[in-house]
Amino acid sequence: MYKLLIRPLLFLADPEVVHHFVFRWLKFFFKIPGIKNIVAAAYNNPDPHLSVNLMGLHFKNRVGLAAGFDKDAKLYDELSAFGFGFIEIGTVTPKPQPGNEKPRMFRLPDDKALINRMGFNNDGADAAAKRLRNRNKKIIIGGNIGKNKTTANENAIADYEYCFNALHDVVDYFVVNVSSPNTPGLRALQEREPLTALLQHLQNINAEKKFPKPILLKIAPDLTNEQLDEIVDIVKQTHLTGIIATNTTIARTGLQSNETLQKETGGLSGLPLKSRSTEVIRYLRKRTGNNLVIIGSGGIFTVEDAQEKLNAGANLVQVYTGFIYEGPGIVKKICKGMR
């Protein structure tokens, strides 16, 4: 029903307009007594064999929602009813910021892909923390953190520290995002010296907390093997828990959509990213053995796509573009296939 009727109607409008419309509709719909239980019964697959313990956390299944969908932690409770094993909010920054100019999100239906140049539009870390303060602890929440656009790279550590402290008591794990292509200069923080300094600083703060949280690094798919080797060395040196592979790509090879869409700047996500993200996962697993948690993200639409990531070495997977194209039943379908 979703792909035959609902998706064609939604795809008639601007993607960002549709996103906010769906958020408002779900907020209203879930206020009706009993609706959340009905949705959860329809879309969850409560099989204990699908659960896994990682990072000191118990995941009811291996399929999560990637950052970017619920940037401000406004809909995590409602989204949990669709069966996600975990939900990642963000990317959040210390100060609220509007992001880049609109339009800034584009569909490529012929490629089952999206291009976005959102630019970390969010209400700020304090607003997200406030919304998460009284959350259901059964929902595993990750906090994806970044820097404000106006913050120079040499001052970026302070931004990440602010977000880390603001969210520490209300999320279950952290993701350091230095790989978005939509904030000028951000990817330069993936270089050895600034990245080591940033991650070590966060780990030092983490060690001082009563309950330290797992910290993962989200990396770009556009890194060379030599750069991936460097990332692995830094992650080991700073004793991070793991890596999320991967963020969106700036590559445009092999696309079928019209050239005007292909020329839009921003990060490409969806099916064209599937092979490269799997390659990165496989390479990372060979380089790290079983010592790091790897979360696979990029081009997951089916159980076969998810299994490909797991076979390559991922411990968990995340969906975003696949959720938009396949609809609310994607997690149940993947979990059913895994079972």
Side-chain angles (χ1 to χ4, degrees):
M1 180 179 176
Y2 174 80
K3 287 196 277 188
L4 290 175
L5 180 61
I6 298 175
R7 190 179 74 182
L9 292 174
L10 294 177
F11 276 26
L12 292 173
D14 175 83
E16 191 170 355
V17 171
V18 170
H19 183 85
H20 292 302
F21 167 78
V22 170
F23 262 51
R24 290 193 297 270
W25 183 82
L26 286 176
K27 271 291 182 186
F28 171 79
F29 189 61
F30 273 74
K31 287 180 180 178
I32 302 173
I35 285 296
K36 183 180 179 181
N37 290 336
I38 294 172
V39 172
Y43 289 104
N44 276 258
N45 203 333
D47 187 339
H49 295 98
L50 297 173
S51 65
V52 60
N53 294 313
L54 289 167
M55 307 188 294
L57 302 169
H58 180 75
F59 296 82
K60 67 178 182 180
N61 63 60
R62 295 178 187 264
V63 186
L65 180 63
F69 196 87
D70 188 14
K71 289 176 178 289
D72 291 306
K74 291 180 177 178
L75 206 68
Y76 63 90
D77 191 54
E78 291 84 353
L79 289 168
S80 70
F82 294 102
F84 290 104
F86 58 108
I87 293 173
E88 197 170 301
I89 63 105
T91 298
V92 300
T93 56
K95 299 175 184 177
Q97 62 181 25
N100 296 323
E101 292 185 5
K102 300 176 183 180
R104 53 194 181 182
M105 181 176 283
F106 309 89
R107 298 188 198 92
L108 287 72
D110 292 340
D111 296 292
K112 287 191 172 182
L114 296 171
I115 291 175
N116 93 82
R117 51 173 180 263
M118 303 300 288
F120 290 173
N121 56 306
N122 74 107
D123 295 339
D126 292 328
K130 185 177 180 180
R131 295 188 184 105
L132 289 166
R133 198 156 291 145
N134 298 313
R135 70 177 178 89
N136 182 348
K137 297 295 184 180
K138 292 182 179 180
I139 306 170
I140 293 179
I141 302 290
N144 189 302
I145 58 176
K147 77 174 188 72
N148 282 112
K149 183 177 181 179
T150 56
T151 301
N153 278 7
E154 54 265 30
N155 300 320
I157 285 180
D159 275 20
Y160 286 91
E161 177 181 343
Y162 188 96
C163 294
F164 188 83
N165 285 327
L167 294 174
H168 191 273
D169 293 338
V170 294
V171 300
D172 297 297
Y173 69 89
F174 279 96
V175 178
V176 179
N177 187 354
V178 292
S179 53
S180 170
N182 302 317
T183 295
L186 184 73
R187 285 191 170 190
L189 294 176
Q190 291 181 119
E191 296 175 7
R192 177 179 286 275
E193 188 175 340
L195 184 59
T196 302
L198 170 61
L199 297 180
Q200 189 60 63
H201 184 74
L202 292 178
Q203 284 288 52
N204 291 342
I205 298 170
N206 199 27
E208 295 174 356
K209 302 289 186 181
K210 185 176 180 180
F211 299 106
K213 299 291 173 70
I215 303 177
L216 298 93
L217 175 68
K218 189 165 188 175
I219 64 172
D222 309 304
L223 300 173
T224 64
N225 285 351
E226 290 75 17
Q227 290 172 314
L228 290 174
D229 288 339
E230 200 164 71
I231 292 288
V232 169
D233 290 342
I234 294 168
V235 167
K236 288 180 177 178
Q237 179 183 337
T238 55
H239 303 289
L240 252 62
T241 301
I243 297 174
I244 296 186
T246 62
N247 212 319
T248 56
T249 180
I250 56 175
R252 298 290 188 269
T253 54
L255 298 182
Q256 305 299 314
S257 299
N258 69 67
E259 291 186 8
T260 302
L261 280 174
Q262 292 185 36
K263 291 178 181 177
E264 293 290 352
T265 59
L268 176 74
S269 64
L271 205 56
L273 185 57
K274 183 177 78 165
S275 294
R276 178 55 187 163
S277 65
T278 301
E279 288 175 5
V280 172
I281 292 165
R282 185 174 291 112
Y283 188 85
L284 291 173
R285 183 54 73 200
K286 287 181 180 178
R287 287 282 284 108
T288 62
N290 294 319
N291 296 322
L292 289 176
V293 171
I294 297 176
I295 301 180
S297 180
I300 298 173
F301 288 71
T302 66
V303 62
E304 290 81 12
D305 298 334
Q307 197 61 56
E308 177 183 287
K309 296 283 190 285
L310 297 174
N311 291 344
N315 303 99
L316 304 167
V317 297
Q318 290 178 326
V319 298
Y320 181 113
T321 306
F323 185 45
I324 293 170
Y325 276 88
E326 296 298 309
I330 185 172
V331 179
K332 184 174 183 179
K333 289 177 183 177
I334 291 174
C335 288
K336 184 178 180 181
M338 285 182 176
R339 184 179 60 181

